[in-house]
Amino acid sequence: MNRGNLLYAQSGGVTAVINATAGAVIEAARRRQVKVLAARNGIVGVLREDLIDTSRETSAAIAALRHTPGGAFGSCRFKLGAIDRDRARYERLIDVLRAHDIRYFLYNGGNDSADTSLKIAQVAEALGYPVKVIGVPKTVDNDLALTDCCPGFGSVAKYTAVSVLEASLDVASMAESSTKVFVMEVMGRHAGWIAAASGLAGNGPDEPPHIILFPEVPFDEAAFLARVQATVERVGWCTVVVSEGVRTPDGRFLSEAGGRDAFGHAQLGGVAPLLAQRIKDRLGLKYHWAQPDYLQRSARHLASRTDLAHAIAVGKAAVAYALAGRHAVMPAIVRTSDAPYRWKIEPVPLAKVANTEKVLPKGFIRRDGYGITERARRYLSPLIRGEDPPPTGKDGLPRYVKLKNLPVARKLPPFEPAD
């Protein structure tokens, strides 16, 4: 019996392990003899009817997605409006699903993607089209509600902690006659999960990072500069980790550059160079700063094995949920034990995930506001454990796969989402 096709799409900023989720989805569906189509560039590809036939990829190529970073099918930042104001786009989505007999839609992304998944689920019900919609979690920001952690976060957390540890050894080596302060900026607009992960690099007031600046703690410039000065005097140098979303006491982003992205979020400039310059101007200390940016979320060579296991598990569960008839849910990671670390996957309703942002609990931030607590360490430590390095070639470089991504023939008139 033909149960229809499954459509998978990636959305938002990609991660080191999102393709592992994609591979798990395709392999699980193939075992159930369900054909998988993929949308090129997320929901934009669905609207354009720009679909990819994954059945034309070899099993070896799909397996290689496990260790390949980036978004194998392309991603996007595109926000669908309210259903009553954006009806033409929603009707187009349903037309595309119907034209290609898509009965299962899996959307792999973060907060905005959960919102999109929920809206599509609601529209499908309203228009009477029988499609099961599953939101699949992914975000380096780790800010999705109802899941203990988000696939993608464990790897960026590992990259951040390792980078802070290694760079700090460099600074310590040169501090006598050169750099006194090193400032590293990490992602995190409203939630300081990545900044918190940097705290795993050391333990104690004299071990780096000496200062962590979280979005959850209003920035006090005078107190910050005093802390930098005191650290340099005591230790000889200072490592600072700052989240891009650090705010002033009146709620403004410290580094807001003006302008908005596709989701209406403020575009943030570089907070690291801004702080470094203030350290130079106010304290007269020599500095260096770094902004890993895309490097932190694409570093598959340093991915966490725990994170990889999470990414694969949510992909398999998403297929199982869809084929079992579940609708408007998301597979969530549920922690059952810290030591030893144990977890399982359970479905949670998209209605309770969409438009809800999980920030750092107060109990994860030290009372002085500049570091993490032991409770935070117990939460974070298991997420960065283990390695799963990609295979390398004779040239010493990782062997990443590039899929053929052959298109499915269009059946509908052209449609441009931006219109």
Side-chain angles (χ1 to χ4, degrees), residues 68-363:
T68 299
F73 305 109
S75 187
C76 71
R77 294 193 187 278
F78 187 87
K79 187 174 182 64
L80 287 168
I83 295 171
D84 58 341
R85 296 196 307 270
D86 217 356
R87 189 173 182 86
R89 288 196 181 104
Y90 288 106
E91 289 180 346
R92 169 68 175 192
L93 283 170
I94 299 304
D95 287 344
V96 172
L97 300 183
R98 182 180 288 111
H100 295 275
D101 194 23
I102 293 164
R103 300 306 175 96
Y104 318 99
F105 179 46
L106 276 53
Y107 205 36
N108 197 178
N111 276 307
D112 290 299
S113 305
D115 177 62
T116 297
S117 299
L118 178 61
K119 287 175 178 174
I120 294 172
Q122 293 169 340
V123 167
E125 292 174 3
L127 297 181
Y129 183 71
V131 60
K132 303 303 178 185
V133 180
I134 310 293
V136 189
K138 170 267 352 167
T139 176
V140 297
D141 293 323
N142 200 41
D143 58 357
L144 279 173
L146 301 188
T147 182
D148 176 74
C149 59
C150 302
F153 171 67
S155 293
V156 78
K158 188 180 186 81
Y159 176 90
T160 300
V162 170
S163 296
V164 168
L165 176 60
E166 293 179 338
S168 294
L169 291 172
D170 187 304
V171 176
S173 302
M174 301 295 294
E176 175 66 26
S177 58
S178 185
T179 301
K180 297 291 187 185
V181 182
F182 173 63
V183 182
M184 178 168 155
E185 177 179 335
V186 297
M187 292 177 173
R189 176 179 297 272
H190 299 123
W193 294 101
I194 300 176
S198 73
L200 295 174
N203 198 352
D206 293 346
E207 295 183 7
H210 305 102
I211 300 172
I212 306 174
L213 301 178
F214 304 97
E216 293 86 352
V217 179
F219 178 69
D220 182 327
E221 182 172 324
F224 166 71
L225 292 172
R227 189 69 170 234
V228 171
Q229 183 69 55
T231 302
V232 171
E233 291 175 357
R234 186 181 71 253
V235 181
W237 54 281
C238 179
T239 291
V240 177
V241 174
V242 56
S243 180
E244 64 179 347
V246 165
R247 295 173 181 260
T248 59
D250 63 0
R252 291 181 298 107
F253 287 115
L254 195 62
S255 63
E256 188 165 344
R260 301 274 160 176
D261 67 12
F263 294 123
H265 303 148
Q267 293 281 8
L268 301 185
V271 69
L274 185 152
L275 287 180
Q277 189 60 49
R278 291 189 186 180
I279 289 168
K280 173 68 165 58
D281 294 342
R282 309 287 199 275
L283 304 179
L285 297 172
K286 187 172 182 180
Y287 66 82
H288 272 277
W289 61 269
Q291 188 178 21
D293 198 47
Y294 282 14
L295 300 180
Q296 63 199 294
R297 75 185 196 197
S298 62
R300 180 58 185 83
H301 65 286
L302 199 57
S304 155
R305 190 174 185 86
T306 300
D307 190 30
L308 179 67
H310 289 159
I312 292 170
V314 298
K316 291 179 178 178
V319 173
Y321 293 166
L323 298 186
R326 290 186 179 271
H327 182 55
V329 299
M330 180 189 84
I333 298 162
V334 177
R335 184 183 303 222
T336 59
S337 171
D338 285 329
Y341 178 59
R342 294 196 178 100
W343 55 280
K344 60 184 178 179
I345 302 292
E346 290 184 351
V348 296
L350 278 174
K352 294 185 177 181
V353 177
N355 302 310
T356 301
E357 202 164 33
K358 180 179 70 177
V359 299
L360 272 178
K362 288 183 179 179

